[in-house]
Amino acid sequence: MTMDRAVRAWLTKTFGGDVRFDEPMSRHTSFRVGGPAEALVRPREKDDLVRLVCWAAEQGIARMPLGAGSNMLVRENGIKGIVIVLDNCHTSIIENDPTSAVACITAGAGAKLAALCAYALKNGLKGLNFALGIPGTVGGSIRVNAGARNGSMADVIDSISVLLPQGSFRDLKKSALDFYYRGLDWPKDLALEDGGDPIILEAALRLQRGDKRDLKKQAEQIMRQRKAQQPWRDASAGCIFKNPEGEQSAGQLIDMAGLKGKSIGDAEVSSCHANFIINRGQATADDVLALMDLVRSTVFQRYQIQLETEVKIVG
Ligand code: EPU
């Protein structure tokens, strides 16, 4: 990795202990896999974040926002440029007007989805059942439109505010955002060509009011089910493939193809849920990618269905 000395010096001077160089991404992803990021910064204030983004744009340095790293596979050669983690700022969750009929919540992009679900349960707000047990952050889960069979982030978003590559802010209503199954397209007029993705700072969500006790009961049942059906104790990136169109889910197809327990190196198709690849300890990105290829080609040979990757592959 070859990050310029002057670049390192500026980052160190500006962010002190909140910047790390050649930081293994295996420490920042739920898969526990991945080579080093040239630099990883955790800004403490919005102003620091804006300064960093503007400076990176001026210097022509790539930067990538990172949520909880729970839907990501980083290759062994790591990430060029700066990974920006928002877990030091933009983590608050507040309700704007607790007396209104429909609840409007403002949630920081760096807040954990689990914290948002806990807030909703505590305050008797419904609409987030689909998010129970999803391990991401608010920002990351909006970017990939995280969800389950009973809903996704697009269902609860009212608007989001973003930081654009050159340092300006925009509020985007849901109608301006093109959400699709496990993804989001930015409005065409955002002019992002040379600066990469906008960084989501916070979101306004609309939730319904409900009975606290009923909501808690439902949530406990959903979590029990999730824990029984998914390998939540193992390192993984959640479901590895998107569900294809049609009756059968990716997990069902992989299971029917007899691939549960199949492994390459320390990467293994989970015996609990076949659409999860788990890291038994020392898996490399190459192991995971080779196993994904094997799964994809086996399912294609058997069922003529092409599985599409759900996890984001970077590096
Ligand atoms: N199934 C099998 N074998 C398996 C796994 C599943 O036969 O190894 C069967 C199940 O019995 C069920 C069907 O496949 O009949 C669907 O399984 P499941 O209910 O687990 O749902 P899924 O479609 O596999 C989706 C999301 C999950 C989310 C669950 C919660 C996708 C790709 N996956 O899984 O999201 O947690 O619903 O209901 O949309 C993720 O996105 O990372 C993720 C894990």
Side-chain angles (χ1 to χ4, degrees):
M1 291 274 151
T2 52
M3 189 167 249
D4 202 88
R5 246 211 237 158
V7 167
R8 283 181 180 241
W10 186 89
L11 287 168
T12 306
K13 188 179 85 193
T14 313
F15 292 101
D18 296 328
V19 58
R20 292 188 188 170
F21 298 103
D22 305 322
E23 175 70 3
M25 289 303 293
S26 53
R27 291 191 192 148
H28 299 273
T29 56
S30 57
F31 231 147
R32 304 268 167 258
V33 163
E38 282 187 303
L40 182 140
V41 183
R42 299 167 67 215
R44 282 179 194 270
E45 307 285 341
K46 188 174 180 179
D47 288 352
D48 295 339
L49 172 65
V50 175
R51 204 163 159 214
L52 175 61
V53 164
C54 293
W55 174 83
E58 272 164 32
Q59 303 285 320
I61 297 173
R63 87 292 184 285
M64 185 190 89
L66 179 75
S70 56
N71 193 44
M72 183 174 284
L73 174 63
V74 181
R75 291 181 198 272
E76 291 308 314
N77 54 352
I79 300 177
K80 272 201 103 46
I82 303 167
V83 171
I84 303 175
V85 189
L86 289 187
D87 59 353
N88 267 340
C89 63
H90 291 291
T91 56
S92 68
I93 299 170
I94 48 163
E95 181 170 3
N96 302 339
D97 175 8
T99 61
S100 66
V102 174
C104 181
I105 307 293
T106 303
K112 291 271 165 53
L113 214 45
L116 180 63
C117 290
Y119 180 96
L121 283 178
K122 189 170 155 227
N123 292 284
L125 305 175
K126 59 180 178 184
L128 279 170
N129 271 356
F130 70 86
L132 287 162
I134 298 180
T137 58
V138 169
S141 60
I142 293 171
R143 185 65 190 89
V144 302
N145 191 17
R149 290 187 168 256
N150 54 346
S152 71
M153 289 307 282
D155 300 334
V156 291
I157 295 293
D158 184 50
S159 64
I160 60 175
S161 75
V162 298
L163 173 61
L164 296 178
Q166 270 68 33
S168 59
F169 300 97
R170 276 282 288 273
D171 284 333
L172 301 168
K173 292 297 282 180
K174 182 183 171 184
S175 53
L177 300 165
D178 195 2
F179 282 107
Y180 54 91
Y181 174 62
R182 300 297 172 265
L184 153 67
D185 280 338
W186 300 109
K188 300 270 177 298
D189 69 328
L190 280 188
L192 303 170
E193 299 83 48
D194 51 352
D197 244 24
I199 295 180
I200 299 170
L201 299 178
E202 60 182 32
L205 314 169
R206 276 186 191 279
L207 299 174
Q208 307 304 314
R209 300 202 186 274
D211 180 82
K212 276 188 202 176
R213 266 214 247 150
D214 287 352
L215 286 170
K216 195 157 172 260
K217 252 197 222 156
Q218 273 175 27
E220 281 165 2
Q221 203 209 335
I222 291 171
M223 286 305 288
R224 256 199 308 276
Q225 221 172 15
R226 284 274 161 93
K227 286 186 174 175
Q229 289 170 353
Q230 297 183 356
W232 61 281
R233 283 179 195 276
D234 295 304
S236 82
C239 284
I240 204 101
F241 297 107
K242 295 179 184 174
N243 279 337
E245 280 179 20
E247 296 271 293
Q248 274 147 339
S249 66
Q252 255 167 324
L253 292 165
I254 300 166
D255 191 352
M256 285 173 355
L259 290 164
K260 274 185 169 174
K262 186 88 194 160
S263 63
I264 293 182
D266 253 0
E268 179 179 301
V269 176
S270 166
S271 302
C272 173
H273 191 301
N275 197 16
F276 283 65
I277 288 180
I278 58 167
N279 175 2
R280 290 189 310 210
Q282 305 299 319
T284 64
D286 292 340
D287 295 336
V288 176
L289 289 165
L291 189 55
M292 286 170 68
D293 278 348
L294 177 74
V295 168
R296 231 187 322 252
S297 59
T298 310
V299 166
F300 188 74
Q301 273 166 18
R302 293 270 176 102
Y303 307 109
Q304 288 72 55
I305 292 173
Q306 194 71 56
L307 292 177
E308 271 183 53
T309 305
E310 172 176 331
V311 293
K312 186 174 174 196
I313 299 174
V314 293

